[in-house]
Amino acid sequence: NAGVTQTPKFRVLKTGQSMTLLCAQDMNHEYMYWYRQDPGMGLRLIHYSVGEGTTAKGEVPDGYNVSRLKKQNFLLGLESAAPSQTSVYFCASWGTSSNEQFFGPGTRLTVL
Amino acid sequence: AQSVTQPDIHITVSEGASLELRCNYSYGATPYLFWYVQSPGQGLQLLLKYFSGDTLVQGIKGFEAEFKRSQSSFNLRKPSVHWSDAAEYFCAVGPVSQFYFGTGTSLTVIP
C-alpha cells in the first residue's frame, strides 16, 4: 500500500514549456486534489476531483489543467509554464472512512 | 466565502513552556477542521482533526485542539513544548470538496 505518490519529485522548466505532474493513489479514494505551496501562502487548492471523469476548479486554477481518466490517477498539466508557477505541488486524496486527507510527498517545480 | 486565518506568523517559545496556536475560520456551517505540521522540506503530517462530537480533540505528539463554534476558532495547544516541535503549523477547514489552509505559523523552540 503505497498511499499517495507523485511523479516527478523535482523538475526544472523553461518559460513556455509544458509538463504533466502525475498523482497516483492506491486507496480507492473518490476525492483527489492538487495544491500549490508558496512561502507565506500556505497551501492553495488548484483543482480537485470528486470521482473518475470529473474535475473542478479550486482557488487558483489559472494556468493549469487536470484530468482524472482513471480513479487512481489525477494529472496536473501546465501548458505554458511561467515563472509564477515555481512552487511546490502537493497532491492529496480523501479517505471517507478515516475522514482525512492523505498527502503525497510533493513535487518541487522551478520555472526559469 | 470560506477563509482561514492564522494570526501569528511566527511564535517563539522556550522548551517546556506551553503553546497555543490560533486558528479562526469563516464558514457557513461546521466544517471539517484540521491541524497539520510540516518540517522544512517535508510533507504535511496530520496532528488532529474535528468534524463532530466532543469539541476537545486529542492528537498525536501530545497536541490537542478545541473547537469553539461561537468564536469560529480551532486553536491548537500543547502543555509542554519539546525542541522537536519546531516546525510550521497549518490549520485547514472546509467541506470535503474544497479545503482551505491558513498561511501557517512558524514555531521556534529555544532551549
Side-chain angles (χ1 to χ4, degrees):
Chain A
N1 193 339
V4 180
T5 59
Q6 293 183 228
T7 308
K9 290 185 170 52
F10 302 93
R11 186 71 186 270
V12 179
L13 291 178
K14 294 181 179 179
T15 297
Q17 288 184 319
S18 63
M19 77 162 295
T20 300
L21 305 182
L22 171 63
C23 176
Q25 52 94 4
D26 60 1
M27 297 172 283
N28 202 35
H29 289 169
E30 293 291 340
Y31 287 82
M32 296 186 74
Y33 316 80
W34 274 107
Y35 296 92
R36 60 177 290 172
Q37 183 178 29
D38 304 293
M41 299 293 289
L43 272 73
R44 292 181 292 170
L45 183 64
I46 304 171
H47 286 279
Y48 65 97
S49 169
V50 302
E52 182 178 316
T54 69
T55 63
K57 295 180 180 179
E59 189 182 0
V60 289
D62 294 343
Y64 304 96
N65 57 76
V66 289
S67 64
R68 183 97 182 267
L69 299 179
K70 294 183 179 180
K71 186 177 185 179
Q72 62 268 35
N73 296 336
F74 194 28
L75 280 63
L76 178 70
L78 287 72
E79 291 185 346
S80 180
S84 61
Q85 294 177 304
T86 293
S87 187
V88 179
Y89 292 85
F90 287 99
C91 176
S93 66
W94 174 261
T96 304
S97 59
S98 59
N99 285 310
E100 65 179 270
Q101 281 191 318
F102 292 82
F103 283 87
T107 295
R108 185 172 296 274
L109 174 66
T110 301
V111 183
L112 302 176
Chain B
Q2 297 178 86
S3 66
V4 182
T5 303
Q6 291 181 248
D8 305 304
I9 296 172
H10 185 248
I11 286 182
T12 299
V13 298
S14 298
E15 191 168 15
S18 63
L19 171 70
E20 182 170 27
L21 302 182
R22 295 182 290 166
C23 174
N24 295 97
Y25 67 90
S26 173
Y27 186 67
T30 299
Y32 286 87
L33 296 156
F34 304 87
W35 275 101
Y36 293 90
V37 62
Q38 185 180 37
S39 297
Q42 301 298 310
L44 283 84
Q45 182 180 23
L46 178 67
L47 288 175
L48 46 77
K49 61 189 176 187
Y50 173 83
F51 48 92
S52 66
D54 192 345
T55 56
L56 183 64
V57 294
Q58 302 297 321
I60 62 172
K61 303 185 178 185
F63 285 94
E64 67 176 27
E66 186 172 12
F67 169 57
K68 292 186 177 181
R69 185 190 306 273
S70 61
Q71 298 177 19
S72 296
S73 68
F74 189 56
N75 294 348
L76 182 71
R77 301 193 294 250
K78 186 169 185 178
S80 178
V81 171
H82 188 262
W83 63 266
S84 60
D85 293 325
E88 188 93 15
Y89 291 80
F90 294 96
C91 178
V93 306
V96 174
S97 59
Q98 193 155 0
F99 291 106
Y100 285 83
F101 283 74
T103 52
T105 297
S106 177
L107 176 64
T108 297
V109 181
I110 57 177

